[in-house]
């Protein structure tokens, strides 16, 4: 290791999160690293994800002001690592275009102030497991696509059940129920379902809801005891 942080025994604030499955958000990372190199205190904040990063060696002295480093799922102007703690539940008509799904996702995240970098994956009904636009959206971002049976989805209490959806799919909810199931126990909805319909050049219709997991998604990662 030849970086300045390694040679001085400091934690590389701009890269350590990658090993935790996190993604960098926008922010003045260069300025943050210069502040740390001068040994000045930095405000540290944890909002979501694995909290044990606060036990890592080489963290700067905490401060109530100045440069900030935080960990969370919301978008931020300061330096923030985004743990994959959000699951997006999506339902759509057969043959819905990728552009419509992308727009639905982006608008849902933006409306709640959530970061795309914090998305862990997509979730839907198993009858949509072969939907090309959903598969393309997941592949585009390197996300898993988790699919659930109608019975499993119908057992999840949701704020916006639909009799029309229940008559067609056997479950009163796809987007909200799938998001909550994928996010796991103690998950909470960050956005209720949004319905988007095709605009110029698009096809179909889509619904999306976003749930936040109680802990981050971390496949093939763990702790050695």
């Amino acid at each position: 290791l030849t970086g300045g942080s390694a040679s001085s025994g400091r934690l590389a604030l701009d890269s350590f999160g990658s090993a935790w499955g996190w993604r960098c958000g926008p922010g003045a990372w260069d300025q943050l690293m210069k502040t740390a190199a001068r040994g000045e205190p930095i405000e540290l904040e944890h909002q979501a994800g694995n909290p044990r990063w606060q036990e890592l060696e080489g963290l700067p002295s905490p401060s109530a002001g100045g440069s900030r480093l935080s960990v969370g799922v919301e978008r931020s102007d300061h330096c923030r690592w985004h743990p994959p703690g959000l699951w997006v539940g999506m339902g759509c008509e057969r043959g819905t275009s990728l552009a419509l799904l992308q727009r639905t996702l982006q608008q849902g995240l933006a409306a709640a102030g959530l970061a795309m970098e914090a998305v862990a994956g997509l979730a839907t009904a198993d009858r949509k497991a072969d939907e090309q636009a959903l598969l393309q959206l997941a592949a585009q971002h390197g996300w898993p696509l988790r699919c659930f049976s109608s019975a499993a989805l119908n057992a999840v209490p949701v704020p916006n059940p639909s009799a029309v959806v229940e008559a067609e799919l056997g479950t009163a909810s796809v987007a909200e129920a799938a998001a909550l199931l994928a996010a796991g126990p103690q998950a909470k909805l960050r956005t209720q379902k949004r319905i988007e319909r095709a605009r110029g050049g698009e096809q179909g219709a889509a619904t999306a809801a976003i749930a936040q997991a109680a802990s981050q998604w971390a496949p093939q990662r763990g702790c050695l005891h």
Side-chain angles (χ1 to χ4, degrees):
L1 296 175
T2 58
S5 297
S7 62
S8 61
R10 291 180 285 105
L11 184 66
L13 303 178
D14 60 348
S15 62
F16 83 92
S18 297
W20 292 57
W22 299 351
R23 301 183 185 95
C24 262
W29 290 93
D30 184 62
Q31 182 61 43
L32 179 75
M33 295 302 291
K34 290 178 179 178
T35 299
R38 292 193 295 267
E40 297 176 6
I42 293 175
E43 184 174 350
L44 304 176
E45 181 182 17
H46 178 81
Q47 297 178 347
N50 191 336
R52 297 189 66 188
W53 68 276
Q54 298 169 102
E55 302 172 21
L56 295 174
E57 295 183 4
L59 277 175
S61 302
S63 169
S67 296
R68 294 178 62 191
L69 172 67
S70 65
V71 179
V73 298
E74 287 84 7
R75 290 181 299 168
S76 174
D77 293 331
H78 66 264
C79 297
R80 173 170 289 172
W81 282 104
H82 297 294
L86 302 176
W87 285 89
V88 181
M90 302 196 85
C92 64
E93 293 181 354
R94 184 63 69 181
T96 293
S97 60
L98 175 61
L100 175 53
L101 292 187
Q102 291 172 326
R103 179 167 60 82
T104 303
L105 171 63
Q106 291 167 356
Q107 290 180 349
L109 290 167
L114 300 171
M116 181 79 75
E117 295 87 349
V119 174
L122 303 178
T124 190
D126 55 8
R127 289 175 59 177
K128 299 294 181 180
D130 62 346
E131 190 66 45
Q132 287 303 304
L134 281 172
L135 292 170
Q136 291 170 1
L137 182 62
Q140 191 177 69
H141 294 277
W143 294 333
L145 174 63
R146 303 189 66 183
C147 302
F148 300 96
S149 68
S150 295
L153 293 171
N154 202 40
V156 180
V158 295
N160 300 291
S162 168
V164 174
V165 174
E166 186 174 16
E168 182 178 350
L169 297 177
T171 174
S173 172
V174 173
E176 292 175 341
L180 287 168
L181 276 180
Q186 300 179 334
K188 60 180 179 180
L189 276 179
R190 294 298 305 265
T191 69
Q192 297 184 12
K193 72 175 182 181
R194 297 169 57 93
I195 302 174
E196 293 293 333
R197 306 193 184 281
R199 297 179 182 174
E202 299 174 341
Q203 294 180 349
T207 59
I210 304 171
Q212 182 174 346
S215 59
Q216 69 176 69
W217 171 244
Q220 299 178 338
R221 301 179 188 277
C223 297
L224 180 63
H225 296 277

